PDB file of all heavy atoms in Angstrom:
ATOM      1  N   SER A 107      -0.261  29.474  -2.159  1.00 95.00           N
ATOM      2  CA  SER A 107      -0.697  30.767  -2.682  1.00 95.00           C
ATOM      3  C   SER A 107      -1.209  30.517  -4.154  1.00 95.00           C
ATOM      4  O   SER A 107      -0.888  29.566  -4.799  1.00 95.00           O
ATOM      5  CB  SER A 107       0.367  31.778  -2.764  1.00 95.00           C
ATOM      6  OG  SER A 107      -0.067  33.040  -3.221  1.00 95.00           O
ATOM      7  N   HIS A 108      -2.126  31.458  -4.602  1.00 93.00           N
ATOM      8  CA  HIS A 108      -2.618  31.457  -5.961  1.00 93.00           C
ATOM      9  C   HIS A 108      -2.090  32.730  -6.711  1.00 93.00           C
ATOM     10  O   HIS A 108      -2.272  32.932  -7.907  1.00 93.00           O
ATOM     11  CB  HIS A 108      -4.116  31.506  -6.019  1.00 93.00           C
ATOM     12  CG  HIS A 108      -4.785  30.348  -5.323  1.00 93.00           C
ATOM     13  ND1 HIS A 108      -5.011  30.383  -4.013  1.00 93.00           N
ATOM     14  CD2 HIS A 108      -5.242  29.168  -5.789  1.00 93.00           C
ATOM     15  CE1 HIS A 108      -5.618  29.198  -3.615  1.00 93.00           C
ATOM     16  NE2 HIS A 108      -5.807  28.458  -4.652  1.00 93.00           N
ATOM     17  N   ASN A 109      -1.531  33.671  -5.901  1.00 95.00           N
ATOM     18  CA  ASN A 109      -1.107  34.948  -6.481  1.00 95.00           C
ATOM     19  C   ASN A 109       0.430  34.994  -6.674  1.00 95.00           C
ATOM     20  O   ASN A 109       1.175  34.952  -5.680  1.00 95.00           O
ATOM     21  CB  ASN A 109      -1.499  36.058  -5.421  1.00 95.00           C
ATOM     22  CG  ASN A 109      -1.264  37.450  -5.915  1.00 95.00           C
ATOM     23  OD1 ASN A 109      -0.483  37.632  -6.903  1.00 95.00           O
ATOM     24  ND2 ASN A 109      -1.943  38.404  -5.367  1.00 95.00           N
ATOM     25  N   PRO A 110       0.867  35.109  -7.898  1.00 95.00           N
ATOM     26  CA  PRO A 110       2.323  35.060  -8.154  1.00 95.00           C
ATOM     27  C   PRO A 110       3.065  36.260  -7.597  1.00 95.00           C
ATOM     28  O   PRO A 110       4.270  36.040  -7.301  1.00 95.00           O
ATOM     29  CB  PRO A 110       2.423  35.041  -9.698  1.00 95.00           C
ATOM     30  CG  PRO A 110       1.069  35.642 -10.175  1.00 95.00           C
ATOM     31  CD  PRO A 110       0.089  35.183  -9.181  1.00 95.00           C
ATOM     32  N   VAL A 111       2.537  37.337  -7.418  1.00 96.00           N
ATOM     33  CA  VAL A 111       3.191  38.502  -6.847  1.00 96.00           C
ATOM     34  C   VAL A 111       3.500  38.247  -5.376  1.00 96.00           C
ATOM     35  O   VAL A 111       4.624  38.436  -4.910  1.00 96.00           O
ATOM     36  CB  VAL A 111       2.368  39.820  -7.041  1.00 96.00           C
ATOM     37  CG1 VAL A 111       3.013  40.913  -6.277  1.00 96.00           C
ATOM     38  CG2 VAL A 111       2.273  40.177  -8.530  1.00 96.00           C
ATOM     39  N   ILE A 112       2.484  37.824  -4.721  1.00 97.00           N
ATOM     40  CA  ILE A 112       2.626  37.571  -3.223  1.00 97.00           C
ATOM     41  C   ILE A 112       3.595  36.347  -3.024  1.00 97.00           C
ATOM     42  O   ILE A 112       4.432  36.329  -2.155  1.00 97.00           O
ATOM     43  CB  ILE A 112       1.294  37.263  -2.565  1.00 97.00           C
ATOM     44  CG1 ILE A 112       0.482  38.584  -2.592  1.00 97.00           C
ATOM     45  CG2 ILE A 112       1.498  36.741  -1.150  1.00 97.00           C
ATOM     46  CD1 ILE A 112       1.088  39.721  -1.844  1.00 97.00           C
ATOM     47  N   ALA A 113       3.430  35.323  -3.855  1.00 97.00           N
ATOM     48  CA  ALA A 113       4.242  34.102  -3.739  1.00 97.00           C
ATOM     49  C   ALA A 113       5.702  34.466  -3.988  1.00 97.00           C
ATOM     50  O   ALA A 113       6.639  33.993  -3.251  1.00 97.00           O
ATOM     51  CB  ALA A 113       3.822  33.071  -4.779  1.00 97.00           C
ATOM     52  N   ARG A 114       5.993  35.272  -4.986  1.00 97.00           N
ATOM     53  CA  ARG A 114       7.328  35.717  -5.259  1.00 97.00           C
ATOM     54  C   ARG A 114       7.923  36.492  -4.095  1.00 97.00           C
ATOM     55  O   ARG A 114       9.162  36.245  -3.751  1.00 97.00           O
ATOM     56  CB  ARG A 114       7.373  36.581  -6.488  1.00 97.00           C
ATOM     57  CG  ARG A 114       8.754  36.882  -6.975  1.00 97.00           C
ATOM     58  CD  ARG A 114       8.680  37.701  -8.260  1.00 97.00           C
ATOM     59  NE  ARG A 114      10.000  38.078  -8.767  1.00 97.00           N
ATOM     60  CZ  ARG A 114      10.245  38.861  -9.762  1.00 97.00           C
ATOM     61  NH1 ARG A 114       9.224  39.364 -10.534  1.00 97.00           N
ATOM     62  NH2 ARG A 114      11.424  39.238 -10.209  1.00 97.00           N
ATOM     63  N   LYS A 115       7.116  37.342  -3.552  1.00 97.00           N
ATOM     64  CA  LYS A 115       7.607  38.164  -2.354  1.00 97.00           C
ATOM     65  C   LYS A 115       7.987  37.262  -1.231  1.00 97.00           C
ATOM     66  O   LYS A 115       9.011  37.417  -0.532  1.00 97.00           O
ATOM     67  CB  LYS A 115       6.517  39.100  -1.946  1.00 97.00           C
ATOM     68  CG  LYS A 115       6.942  40.149  -0.927  1.00 97.00           C
ATOM     69  CD  LYS A 115       5.790  41.204  -0.706  1.00 97.00           C
ATOM     70  CE  LYS A 115       6.233  42.268   0.257  1.00 97.00           C
ATOM     71  NZ  LYS A 115       5.050  43.234   0.523  1.00 97.00           N
ATOM     72  N   ALA A 116       7.212  36.172  -1.004  1.00 98.00           N
ATOM     73  CA  ALA A 116       7.476  35.230   0.042  1.00 98.00           C
ATOM     74  C   ALA A 116       8.793  34.445  -0.251  1.00 98.00           C
ATOM     75  O   ALA A 116       9.574  34.233   0.694  1.00 98.00           O
ATOM     76  CB  ALA A 116       6.274  34.235   0.211  1.00 98.00           C
ATOM     77  N   VAL A 117       8.925  33.978  -1.405  1.00 98.00           N
ATOM     78  CA  VAL A 117      10.117  33.262  -1.842  1.00 98.00           C
ATOM     79  C   VAL A 117      11.397  34.134  -1.588  1.00 98.00           C
ATOM     80  O   VAL A 117      12.412  33.676  -1.137  1.00 98.00           O
ATOM     81  CB  VAL A 117      10.044  32.769  -3.298  1.00 98.00           C
ATOM     82  CG1 VAL A 117      11.402  32.152  -3.723  1.00 98.00           C
ATOM     83  CG2 VAL A 117       8.951  31.730  -3.439  1.00 98.00           C
ATOM     84  N   GLU A 118      11.247  35.395  -1.907  1.00 97.00           N
ATOM     85  CA  GLU A 118      12.362  36.288  -1.768  1.00 97.00           C
ATOM     86  C   GLU A 118      12.814  36.493  -0.322  1.00 97.00           C
ATOM     87  O   GLU A 118      13.951  37.017  -0.037  1.00 97.00           O
ATOM     88  CB  GLU A 118      12.069  37.685  -2.421  1.00 97.00           C
ATOM     89  CG  GLU A 118      12.091  37.543  -3.940  1.00 97.00           C
ATOM     90  CD  GLU A 118      11.553  38.834  -4.676  1.00 97.00           C
ATOM     91  OE1 GLU A 118      10.860  39.619  -3.984  1.00 97.00           O
ATOM     92  OE2 GLU A 118      11.784  38.986  -5.874  1.00 97.00           O
ATOM     93  N   THR A 119      11.961  36.153   0.661  1.00 97.00           N
ATOM     94  CA  THR A 119      12.440  36.269   2.057  1.00 97.00           C
ATOM     95  C   THR A 119      13.474  35.268   2.365  1.00 97.00           C
ATOM     96  O   THR A 119      14.201  35.456   3.399  1.00 97.00           O
ATOM     97  CB  THR A 119      11.217  36.034   3.049  1.00 97.00           C
ATOM     98  OG1 THR A 119      10.807  34.607   2.887  1.00 97.00           O
ATOM     99  CG2 THR A 119      10.069  36.959   2.750  1.00 97.00           C
ATOM    100  N   GLY A 120      13.636  34.247   1.585  1.00 97.00           N
ATOM    101  CA  GLY A 120      14.615  33.195   1.840  1.00 97.00           C
ATOM    102  C   GLY A 120      14.194  32.192   2.929  1.00 97.00           C
ATOM    103  O   GLY A 120      15.002  31.320   3.315  1.00 97.00           O
ATOM    104  N   LEU A 121      12.939  32.304   3.421  1.00 98.00           N
ATOM    105  CA  LEU A 121      12.497  31.432   4.466  1.00 98.00           C
ATOM    106  C   LEU A 121      11.847  30.193   3.972  1.00 98.00           C
ATOM    107  O   LEU A 121      11.695  29.229   4.662  1.00 98.00           O
ATOM    108  CB  LEU A 121      11.504  32.188   5.352  1.00 98.00           C
ATOM    109  CG  LEU A 121      12.075  33.390   6.127  1.00 98.00           C
ATOM    110  CD1 LEU A 121      10.976  34.106   6.880  1.00 98.00           C
ATOM    111  CD2 LEU A 121      13.116  32.951   7.105  1.00 98.00           C
ATOM    112  N   LEU A 122      11.357  30.184   2.687  1.00 98.00           N
ATOM    113  CA  LEU A 122      10.593  29.022   2.282  1.00 98.00           C
ATOM    114  C   LEU A 122      11.456  27.982   1.546  1.00 98.00           C
ATOM    115  O   LEU A 122      12.377  28.339   0.797  1.00 98.00           O
ATOM    116  CB  LEU A 122       9.556  29.543   1.238  1.00 98.00           C
ATOM    117  CG  LEU A 122       8.457  30.464   1.723  1.00 98.00           C
ATOM    118  CD1 LEU A 122       7.400  30.751   0.634  1.00 98.00           C
ATOM    119  CD2 LEU A 122       7.817  29.975   2.945  1.00 98.00           C
ATOM    120  N   ASP A 123      11.142  26.775   1.829  1.00 98.00           N
ATOM    121  CA  ASP A 123      11.761  25.597   1.082  1.00 98.00           C
ATOM    122  C   ASP A 123      10.847  25.131  -0.021  1.00 98.00           C
ATOM    123  O   ASP A 123      11.259  24.556  -0.987  1.00 98.00           O
ATOM    124  CB  ASP A 123      11.984  24.453   2.068  1.00 98.00           C
ATOM    125  CG  ASP A 123      12.832  24.916   3.269  1.00 98.00           C
ATOM    126  OD1 ASP A 123      14.047  25.259   3.090  1.00 98.00           O
ATOM    127  OD2 ASP A 123      12.360  24.828   4.406  1.00 98.00           O
ATOM    128  N   VAL A 124       9.518  25.269   0.180  1.00 98.00           N
ATOM    129  CA  VAL A 124       8.544  24.719  -0.716  1.00 98.00           C
ATOM    130  C   VAL A 124       7.417  25.780  -0.934  1.00 98.00           C
ATOM    131  O   VAL A 124       7.011  26.524  -0.040  1.00 98.00           O
ATOM    132  CB  VAL A 124       7.850  23.449  -0.056  1.00 98.00           C
ATOM    133  CG1 VAL A 124       6.820  22.873  -1.084  1.00 98.00           C
ATOM    134  CG2 VAL A 124       8.903  22.391   0.219  1.00 98.00           C
ATOM    135  N   LEU A 125       6.973  25.864  -2.155  1.00 98.00           N
ATOM    136  CA  LEU A 125       5.879  26.743  -2.554  1.00 98.00           C
ATOM    137  C   LEU A 125       4.732  25.880  -3.153  1.00 98.00           C
ATOM    138  O   LEU A 125       4.958  25.276  -4.162  1.00 98.00           O
ATOM    139  CB  LEU A 125       6.245  27.837  -3.507  1.00 98.00           C
ATOM    140  CG  LEU A 125       5.120  28.712  -4.006  1.00 98.00           C
ATOM    141  CD1 LEU A 125       4.557  29.612  -2.914  1.00 98.00           C
ATOM    142  CD2 LEU A 125       5.563  29.583  -5.177  1.00 98.00           C
ATOM    143  N   MET A 126       3.552  25.815  -2.493  1.00 97.00           N
ATOM    144  CA  MET A 126       2.451  25.142  -3.174  1.00 97.00           C
ATOM    145  C   MET A 126       1.714  26.209  -3.971  1.00 97.00           C
ATOM    146  O   MET A 126       1.214  27.253  -3.419  1.00 97.00           O
ATOM    147  CB  MET A 126       1.504  24.511  -2.185  1.00 97.00           C
ATOM    148  CG  MET A 126       0.340  23.804  -2.833  1.00 97.00           C
ATOM    149  SD  MET A 126      -0.856  23.148  -1.609  1.00 97.00           S
ATOM    150  CE  MET A 126      -0.173  21.518  -1.491  1.00 97.00           C
ATOM    151  N   PHE A 127       1.684  26.041  -5.322  1.00 97.00           N
ATOM    152  CA  PHE A 127       1.160  27.124  -6.148  1.00 97.00           C
ATOM    153  C   PHE A 127       0.216  26.469  -7.219  1.00 97.00           C
ATOM    154  O   PHE A 127       0.411  25.323  -7.633  1.00 97.00           O
ATOM    155  CB  PHE A 127       2.275  27.823  -6.857  1.00 97.00           C
ATOM    156  CG  PHE A 127       1.924  29.116  -7.473  1.00 97.00           C
ATOM    157  CD1 PHE A 127       1.446  30.197  -6.743  1.00 97.00           C
ATOM    158  CD2 PHE A 127       1.799  29.261  -8.869  1.00 97.00           C
ATOM    159  CE1 PHE A 127       1.056  31.372  -7.356  1.00 97.00           C
ATOM    160  CE2 PHE A 127       1.393  30.377  -9.457  1.00 97.00           C
ATOM    161  CZ  PHE A 127       1.026  31.456  -8.666  1.00 97.00           C
ATOM    162  N   SER A 128      -0.846  27.278  -7.625  1.00 94.00           N
ATOM    163  CA  SER A 128      -1.762  26.787  -8.610  1.00 94.00           C
ATOM    164  C   SER A 128      -1.188  26.951 -10.014  1.00 94.00           C
ATOM    165  O   SER A 128      -0.881  28.042 -10.436  1.00 94.00           O
ATOM    166  CB  SER A 128      -3.106  27.560  -8.505  1.00 94.00           C
ATOM    167  OG  SER A 128      -2.878  28.954  -8.493  1.00 94.00           O
ATOM    168  N   VAL A 129      -0.920  25.823 -10.678  1.00 95.00           N
ATOM    169  CA  VAL A 129      -0.402  25.795 -12.014  1.00 95.00           C
ATOM    170  C   VAL A 129      -1.142  24.976 -12.962  1.00 95.00           C
ATOM    171  O   VAL A 129      -1.469  23.825 -12.698  1.00 95.00           O
ATOM    172  CB  VAL A 129       1.133  25.282 -11.953  1.00 95.00           C
ATOM    173  CG1 VAL A 129       1.735  25.359 -13.385  1.00 95.00           C
ATOM    174  CG2 VAL A 129       1.976  26.099 -10.953  1.00 95.00           C
ATOM    175  N   ASN A 130      -1.514  25.564 -14.120  1.00 93.00           N
ATOM    176  CA  ASN A 130      -1.964  24.827 -15.267  1.00 93.00           C
ATOM    177  C   ASN A 130      -1.909  25.769 -16.420  1.00 93.00           C
ATOM    178  O   ASN A 130      -1.616  26.961 -16.324  1.00 93.00           O
ATOM    179  CB  ASN A 130      -3.397  24.219 -15.071  1.00 93.00           C
ATOM    180  CG  ASN A 130      -4.433  25.277 -14.849  1.00 93.00           C
ATOM    181  OD1 ASN A 130      -4.635  26.223 -15.676  1.00 93.00           O
ATOM    182  ND2 ASN A 130      -5.141  25.183 -13.768  1.00 93.00           N
ATOM    183  N   ALA A 131      -2.072  25.270 -17.661  1.00 91.00           N
ATOM    184  CA  ALA A 131      -1.862  26.055 -18.855  1.00 91.00           C
ATOM    185  C   ALA A 131      -2.773  27.220 -18.983  1.00 91.00           C
ATOM    186  O   ALA A 131      -2.469  28.272 -19.520  1.00 91.00           O
ATOM    187  CB  ALA A 131      -1.956  25.151 -20.068  1.00 91.00           C
ATOM    188  N   ALA A 132      -3.975  27.118 -18.448  1.00 88.00           N
ATOM    189  CA  ALA A 132      -4.957  28.189 -18.451  1.00 88.00           C
ATOM    190  C   ALA A 132      -4.614  29.290 -17.407  1.00 88.00           C
ATOM    191  O   ALA A 132      -4.566  30.481 -17.843  1.00 88.00           O
ATOM    192  CB  ALA A 132      -6.383  27.647 -18.177  1.00 88.00           C
ATOM    193  N   TYR A 133      -4.373  28.893 -16.217  1.00 89.00           N
ATOM    194  CA  TYR A 133      -4.055  29.849 -15.213  1.00 89.00           C
ATOM    195  C   TYR A 133      -2.839  30.661 -15.531  1.00 89.00           C
ATOM    196  O   TYR A 133      -2.626  31.875 -15.232  1.00 89.00           O
ATOM    197  CB  TYR A 133      -3.865  29.200 -13.801  1.00 89.00           C
ATOM    198  CG  TYR A 133      -5.000  28.653 -13.155  1.00 89.00           C
ATOM    199  CD1 TYR A 133      -6.285  28.676 -13.785  1.00 89.00           C
ATOM    200  CD2 TYR A 133      -4.957  28.016 -11.944  1.00 89.00           C
ATOM    201  CE1 TYR A 133      -7.390  28.162 -13.169  1.00 89.00           C
ATOM    202  CE2 TYR A 133      -6.047  27.446 -11.345  1.00 89.00           C
ATOM    203  CZ  TYR A 133      -7.306  27.513 -11.935  1.00 89.00           C
ATOM    204  OH  TYR A 133      -8.367  26.956 -11.334  1.00 89.00           O
ATOM    205  N   ASP A 134      -1.825  30.017 -16.182  1.00 90.00           N
ATOM    206  CA  ASP A 134      -0.555  30.621 -16.559  1.00 90.00           C
ATOM    207  C   ASP A 134      -0.743  31.832 -17.591  1.00 90.00           C
ATOM    208  O   ASP A 134       0.104  32.629 -17.652  1.00 90.00           O
ATOM    209  CB  ASP A 134       0.375  29.579 -17.194  1.00 90.00           C
ATOM    210  CG  ASP A 134       1.267  28.910 -16.142  1.00 90.00           C
ATOM    211  OD1 ASP A 134       1.089  29.272 -14.957  1.00 90.00           O
ATOM    212  OD2 ASP A 134       2.039  28.068 -16.485  1.00 90.00           O
ATOM    213  N   MET A 135      -1.934  31.880 -18.202  1.00 84.00           N
ATOM    214  CA  MET A 135      -2.202  32.997 -19.121  1.00 84.00           C
ATOM    215  C   MET A 135      -2.782  34.161 -18.432  1.00 84.00           C
ATOM    216  O   MET A 135      -2.961  35.225 -18.951  1.00 84.00           O
ATOM    217  CB  MET A 135      -3.181  32.553 -20.160  1.00 84.00           C
ATOM    218  CG  MET A 135      -2.820  31.248 -20.959  1.00 84.00           C
ATOM    219  SD  MET A 135      -1.287  31.493 -21.847  1.00 84.00           S
ATOM    220  CE  MET A 135      -1.062  29.804 -22.404  1.00 84.00           C
ATOM    221  N   GLN A 136      -3.092  34.072 -17.103  1.00 83.00           N
ATOM    222  CA  GLN A 136      -3.838  35.098 -16.371  1.00 83.00           C
ATOM    223  C   GLN A 136      -2.940  36.003 -15.559  1.00 83.00           C
ATOM    224  O   GLN A 136      -1.961  35.546 -14.953  1.00 83.00           O
ATOM    225  CB  GLN A 136      -4.879  34.538 -15.458  1.00 83.00           C
ATOM    226  CG  GLN A 136      -5.953  33.676 -16.212  1.00 83.00           C
ATOM    227  CD  GLN A 136      -6.673  34.639 -17.221  1.00 83.00           C
ATOM    228  OE1 GLN A 136      -7.208  35.717 -16.881  1.00 83.00           O
ATOM    229  NE2 GLN A 136      -6.617  34.249 -18.482  1.00 83.00           N
ATOM    230  N   PRO A 137      -3.251  37.291 -15.512  1.00 80.00           N
ATOM    231  CA  PRO A 137      -2.491  38.232 -14.655  1.00 80.00           C
ATOM    232  C   PRO A 137      -2.663  37.980 -13.202  1.00 80.00           C
ATOM    233  O   PRO A 137      -3.632  37.294 -12.840  1.00 80.00           O
ATOM    234  CB  PRO A 137      -2.969  39.644 -15.099  1.00 80.00           C
ATOM    235  CG  PRO A 137      -4.386  39.348 -15.546  1.00 80.00           C
ATOM    236  CD  PRO A 137      -4.308  37.969 -16.234  1.00 80.00           C
ATOM    237  N   PRO A 138      -1.751  38.441 -12.335  1.00 82.00           N
ATOM    238  CA  PRO A 138      -1.881  38.140 -10.903  1.00 82.00           C
ATOM    239  C   PRO A 138      -3.092  38.767 -10.288  1.00 82.00           C
ATOM    240  O   PRO A 138      -3.508  39.859 -10.680  1.00 82.00           O
ATOM    241  CB  PRO A 138      -0.545  38.711 -10.350  1.00 82.00           C
ATOM    242  CG  PRO A 138      -0.124  39.717 -11.336  1.00 82.00           C
ATOM    243  CD  PRO A 138      -0.554  39.201 -12.664  1.00 82.00           C
ATOM    244  N   THR A 139      -3.682  38.089  -9.357  1.00 77.00           N
ATOM    245  CA  THR A 139      -4.791  38.619  -8.556  1.00 77.00           C
ATOM    246  C   THR A 139      -4.856  37.877  -7.225  1.00 77.00           C
ATOM    247  O   THR A 139      -4.457  36.741  -7.068  1.00 77.00           O
ATOM    248  CB  THR A 139      -6.091  38.429  -9.292  1.00 77.00           C
ATOM    249  OG1 THR A 139      -7.174  38.841  -8.458  1.00 77.00           O
ATOM    250  CG2 THR A 139      -6.328  36.984  -9.675  1.00 77.00           C
ATOM    251  N   GLU A 140      -5.343  38.559  -6.199  1.00 74.00           N
ATOM    252  CA  GLU A 140      -5.531  37.859  -4.891  1.00 74.00           C
ATOM    253  C   GLU A 140      -6.920  37.234  -4.795  1.00 74.00           C
ATOM    254  O   GLU A 140      -7.226  36.599  -3.860  1.00 74.00           O
ATOM    255  CB  GLU A 140      -5.313  38.829  -3.751  1.00 74.00           C
ATOM    256  CG  GLU A 140      -6.307  39.978  -3.658  1.00 74.00           C
ATOM    257  CD  GLU A 140      -5.922  40.897  -2.472  1.00 74.00           C
ATOM    258  OE1 GLU A 140      -5.011  41.699  -2.552  1.00 74.00           O
ATOM    259  OE2 GLU A 140      -6.685  40.811  -1.412  1.00 74.00           O
ATOM    260  N   ASP A 141      -7.743  37.460  -5.820  1.00 74.00           N
ATOM    261  CA  ASP A 141      -9.051  36.890  -5.908  1.00 74.00           C
ATOM    262  C   ASP A 141      -8.958  35.648  -6.806  1.00 74.00           C
ATOM    263  O   ASP A 141      -9.073  35.753  -8.070  1.00 74.00           O
ATOM    264  CB  ASP A 141     -10.085  37.825  -6.548  1.00 74.00           C
ATOM    265  CG  ASP A 141     -11.520  37.242  -6.609  1.00 74.00           C
ATOM    266  OD1 ASP A 141     -11.650  36.087  -6.148  1.00 74.00           O
ATOM    267  OD2 ASP A 141     -12.342  37.933  -7.181  1.00 74.00           O
ATOM    268  N   CYS A 142      -8.680  34.505  -6.264  1.00 68.00           N
ATOM    269  CA  CYS A 142      -8.425  33.287  -6.996  1.00 68.00           C
ATOM    270  C   CYS A 142      -9.659  32.829  -7.784  1.00 68.00           C
ATOM    271  O   CYS A 142      -9.571  32.015  -8.732  1.00 68.00           O
ATOM    272  CB  CYS A 142      -7.918  32.133  -6.144  1.00 68.00           C
ATOM    273  SG  CYS A 142      -9.010  31.598  -4.874  1.00 68.00           S
ATOM    274  N   GLU A 143     -10.889  33.322  -7.453  1.00 70.00           N
ATOM    275  CA  GLU A 143     -12.038  33.030  -8.182  1.00 70.00           C
ATOM    276  C   GLU A 143     -11.956  33.453  -9.607  1.00 70.00           C
ATOM    277  O   GLU A 143     -12.497  32.940 -10.507  1.00 70.00           O
ATOM    278  CB  GLU A 143     -13.291  33.556  -7.545  1.00 70.00           C
ATOM    279  CG  GLU A 143     -13.589  32.938  -6.159  1.00 70.00           C
ATOM    280  CD  GLU A 143     -13.881  31.451  -6.244  1.00 70.00           C
ATOM    281  OE1 GLU A 143     -14.534  31.018  -7.221  1.00 70.00           O
ATOM    282  OE2 GLU A 143     -13.395  30.726  -5.323  1.00 70.00           O
ATOM    283  N   GLN A 144     -11.179  34.571  -9.847  1.00 71.00           N
ATOM    284  CA  GLN A 144     -11.027  35.134 -11.167  1.00 71.00           C
ATOM    285  C   GLN A 144     -10.298  34.129 -12.163  1.00 71.00           C
ATOM    286  O   GLN A 144     -10.447  34.274 -13.371  1.00 71.00           O
ATOM    287  CB  GLN A 144     -10.280  36.443 -11.074  1.00 71.00           C
ATOM    288  CG  GLN A 144     -11.081  37.561 -10.500  1.00 71.00           C
ATOM    289  CD  GLN A 144     -12.416  37.799 -11.292  1.00 71.00           C
ATOM    290  OE1 GLN A 144     -12.412  37.960 -12.439  1.00 71.00           O
ATOM    291  NE2 GLN A 144     -13.490  37.916 -10.532  1.00 71.00           N
ATOM    292  N   LEU A 145      -9.590  33.274 -11.608  1.00 71.00           N
ATOM    293  CA  LEU A 145      -8.882  32.245 -12.470  1.00 71.00           C
ATOM    294  C   LEU A 145      -9.860  31.324 -13.168  1.00 71.00           C
ATOM    295  O   LEU A 145      -9.482  30.675 -14.112  1.00 71.00           O
ATOM    296  CB  LEU A 145      -7.855  31.416 -11.623  1.00 71.00           C
ATOM    297  CG  LEU A 145      -6.708  32.247 -10.998  1.00 71.00           C
ATOM    298  CD1 LEU A 145      -5.892  31.375 -10.037  1.00 71.00           C
ATOM    299  CD2 LEU A 145      -5.790  32.719 -12.079  1.00 71.00           C
ATOM    300  N   TRP A 146     -11.073  31.253 -12.625  1.00 64.00           N
ATOM    301  CA  TRP A 146     -12.054  30.387 -13.232  1.00 64.00           C
ATOM    302  C   TRP A 146     -13.015  31.184 -14.159  1.00 64.00           C
ATOM    303  O   TRP A 146     -13.871  30.618 -14.802  1.00 64.00           O
ATOM    304  CB  TRP A 146     -12.946  29.709 -12.140  1.00 64.00           C
ATOM    305  CG  TRP A 146     -12.337  28.479 -11.522  1.00 64.00           C
ATOM    306  CD1 TRP A 146     -12.437  27.201 -11.939  1.00 64.00           C
ATOM    307  CD2 TRP A 146     -11.510  28.454 -10.400  1.00 64.00           C
ATOM    308  NE1 TRP A 146     -11.730  26.356 -11.099  1.00 64.00           N
ATOM    309  CE2 TRP A 146     -11.192  27.091 -10.167  1.00 64.00           C
ATOM    310  CE3 TRP A 146     -10.994  29.445  -9.543  1.00 64.00           C
ATOM    311  CZ2 TRP A 146     -10.351  26.660  -9.089  1.00 64.00           C
ATOM    312  CZ3 TRP A 146     -10.197  29.033  -8.467  1.00 64.00           C
ATOM    313  CH2 TRP A 146      -9.861  27.616  -8.310  1.00 64.00           C
ATOM    314  N   ASN A 147     -12.897  32.552 -14.092  1.00 69.00           N
ATOM    315  CA  ASN A 147     -13.875  33.360 -14.816  1.00 69.00           C
ATOM    316  C   ASN A 147     -13.717  33.320 -16.319  1.00 69.00           C
ATOM    317  O   ASN A 147     -12.702  33.718 -16.878  1.00 69.00           O
ATOM    318  CB  ASN A 147     -13.762  34.825 -14.339  1.00 69.00           C
ATOM    319  CG  ASN A 147     -14.821  35.740 -14.808  1.00 69.00           C
ATOM    320  OD1 ASN A 147     -15.575  35.414 -15.729  1.00 69.00           O
ATOM    321  ND2 ASN A 147     -14.923  36.914 -14.208  1.00 69.00           N
ATOM    322  N   PRO A 148     -14.743  32.804 -17.006  1.00 67.00           N
ATOM    323  CA  PRO A 148     -14.665  32.626 -18.475  1.00 67.00           C
ATOM    324  C   PRO A 148     -14.409  33.942 -19.234  1.00 67.00           C
ATOM    325  O   PRO A 148     -13.795  33.988 -20.329  1.00 67.00           O
ATOM    326  CB  PRO A 148     -16.014  32.044 -18.900  1.00 67.00           C
ATOM    327  CG  PRO A 148     -16.566  31.471 -17.626  1.00 67.00           C
ATOM    328  CD  PRO A 148     -16.003  32.305 -16.515  1.00 67.00           C
TER     329      PRO A 148
END
C-alpha cells in the first residue's frame, strides 16, 4: 500500500505479517491519499 490510513486499517485486522509500504523522507511529510501520484507532485 501507499496509503497509511488503509495500511493501518489492514494491520489492525491482525491478519498481516508483513506490510510493503512506500517510505522515504519526502513521502513521510505528506498527508494520506489513495492517489499515490500525489506523492510525486512538486
Side-chain angles (χ1 to χ4, degrees):
S107 181
H108 304 82
N109 186 341
V111 172
I112 295 300
R114 186 178 179 185
K115 192 173 181 181
V117 171
E118 287 172 342
T119 66
L121 296 174
L122 299 186
D123 305 294
V124 182
L125 173 69
M126 179 182 269
F127 193 71
S128 51
V129 181
N130 62 55
Y133 292 1
D134 271 358
M135 307 297 174
Q136 295 303 303
T139 174
E140 63 182 77
D141 181 5
C142 62
E143 293 299 321
Q144 289 302 311
L145 295 171
W146 279 270
N147 189 344

